[in-house]
Each structure stands twice: as C-alpha cells, then as structure tokens.
Amino acid sequence: MQNMGFSCRIPCVKPLLNNRQRQKRLVWTKGWTAAEWSKVMFSDESKFCISFGNQGPRVWRKTGEAHNPRCLRSSVKFPQSVMVWGAMSSAGVGPLCFLRSKVNAAVYQEGLEHFMLPAADQLYGDADFIFQQDLAPAHSAKATSTWFKDPVLNWPANSPDLNPIENLWGIVKRKMRYARPKNAEELKATIRATWALITPEQCHRLIDSMPRRIAAVIQAKGAPTK
C-alpha cells in the first residue's frame, strides 16, 4: 500500500450530509463578490473546555516510561466548559457572549439583544448589513424569527465549512493550546484575551475567501469541502 502512495491517517471529521442536503447547498450557492460578502455579519457558538483533548505540550520519555507520573497529563471525567457566542465581519470581531449550558430560544434572543445589536453598531455603524446564523433549534425557532425585524441570511444545513467564523474559533483554540486555566472564570478570561487578539486583517482575509468556498462547494457537488 505504501509503495502505491497510500498512508494510514485518522479520517477528517465532517458533518454528515445526505443527498437532499447536498442539493440544497448547491441551490444555495451565491455568486456574490467579496465586497458583497463584507455586508454579512457571521455568527456562531463554540464550546471551550478546560481540557483541550490531545492538544498541549508533549513529553520526552524513554521506553517503558509511558505511565511514569512525570510523563502523564491528568484528565477529568467532566471538565468544566463554557459555551461562547461570537460575531465577525470583514471589519473585525464583536463582543463575546458567554451562554448558559442550555441554549434555548429565550436565552439566544437575550444574547442577540445584548451582544448582537452592539456588535452590529460596532462593526457597521449606520450601514446596512445581513445577519447570518446556522439552523440550530434556538436560531430557527418561531419566536426567534419573530424577534428579527429584517430577514436573516438563508443558510444551508450542516455547513460549517461555509462559515468563516469557524476559522476564528480554530485560531483562538490553537492560541490557547498551552493555557492552563484552573476554573471556568479563568477559562473565560483566557478566551476573552485571545479573542481580542483577532485582527481586522484576519477577518478581512476570511471574508475574502467566501467566493472560493462557494466554488469549492460547487466543485464538490454539494459535499463537505476542505
């Protein structure tokens, strides 16, 4: 197999898309320019844990020392975690909102009121913009749809590959790889400090990638993309 160019790797994890969802992604694709995408405020939630799985420093050890106490990294059964909501545009990022563990429509609307609207003022001022959210139950609830005065951007299901804010979450988590918060409050402080390091230039580059993301979906015939 190696001589034929194959190598054994852990599979990439992507959302499961059925044929109907792939077709909807293809129908959804927009021929917008990067300038048109700059009018969209992208949003998303992400979960942060005190334990970051396999991320973190490695250890130097000899054969037979795998279980030596100085070579171990402690884990806990139920690590403390926080759920964070954030928003971005080509002009930068908005303020973070730390949500309760159970995000229902009422909790989500409260976050929109106190964090999305100030983010819109900060990022767009008096200019028009389009709000993006995915199809999570709290987002697509009838009460949430009623809360919005203007329509939000139509969004295909199971499509994190189309949302540039996913890249920002990845950047934040990579920067926090070596952080060692001891409790939820220290974790929140670390997230805030790292989020504040995101530059408008980074956001602008991610928004500029939207036409390429759309092209990749078309080329993949609606399947998940890189």
Side-chain angles (χ1 to χ4, degrees):
M1 294 288 286
Q2 289 178 342
N3 291 338
M4 295 171 62
F6 288 93
S7 59
C8 187
R9 294 287 186 269
I10 297 174
C12 294
V13 178
K14 296 287 184 179
L16 178 64
L17 289 168
N18 56 37
N19 289 333
R20 183 181 178 188
Q21 289 170 331
R22 291 185 182 190
Q23 288 301 315
K24 284 189 173 182
R25 279 161 59 92
L26 284 174
V27 171
W28 175 87
T29 54
K30 302 177 183 296
W32 291 0
T33 63
E36 289 172 307
W37 282 111
S38 69
K39 298 179 181 178
V40 177
M41 182 165 71
F42 292 89
S43 71
D44 188 34
E45 293 93 4
S46 187
K47 185 177 182 180
F48 286 75
C49 297
I50 286 181
S51 172
F52 287 93
N54 292 326
Q55 296 181 358
R58 299 190 176 198
V59 297
W60 288 96
R61 70 187 187 207
K62 296 179 180 179
T63 302
E65 290 187 333
H67 298 285
N68 187 309
R70 67 180 181 80
C71 298
L72 297 177
R73 183 167 59 85
S74 300
S75 65
V76 293
K77 197 167 188 179
F78 301 106
Q80 292 188 58
S81 63
V82 295
M83 184 67 73
V84 190
W85 177 92
M88 67 166 289
S89 77
S90 61
V93 297
L96 291 177
C97 173
F98 291 93
L99 301 164
R100 304 171 209 167
S101 56
K102 181 68 175 178
V103 183
N104 55 30
V107 172
Y108 182 59
Q109 291 163 40
E110 183 180 351
L112 293 173
E113 185 75 37
H114 296 289
F115 292 90
M116 188 277 279
L117 294 180
D121 288 338
Q122 173 185 326
L123 297 172
Y124 291 96
D126 295 330
D128 291 335
F129 72 96
I130 306 170
F131 183 67
Q132 177 276 338
Q133 61 180 4
D134 60 26
L135 299 181
H139 303 176
S140 56
K142 184 176 180 180
T144 302
S145 300
T146 303
W147 184 90
F148 285 101
K149 295 179 181 179
D150 298 311
V152 300
L153 180 66
N154 181 35
W155 196 253
N158 291 350
S159 297
D161 54 343
L162 290 171
N163 194 343
I165 200 173
E166 295 284 357
N167 299 84
L168 291 190
W169 294 133
I171 291 170
V172 171
K173 289 178 180 179
R174 285 194 297 275
K175 287 180 178 294
M176 291 176 56
R177 181 174 298 176
Y178 299 104
R180 291 293 176 265
K182 297 181 179 63
N183 51 54
E185 289 307 312
E186 287 189 11
L187 178 60
K188 290 179 181 179
T190 305
I191 296 169
R192 287 193 188 96
T194 311
W195 183 255
L197 298 176
I198 299 294
T199 65
E201 290 76 20
Q202 286 175 302
C203 296
H204 186 76
R205 284 196 298 269
L206 288 173
I207 299 297
D208 275 353
S209 74
M210 284 304 298
R212 298 195 299 275
R213 294 172 192 246
I214 299 298
V217 169
I218 296 173
Q219 184 176 5
K221 299 180 180 179
T225 66
K226 182 180 179 181

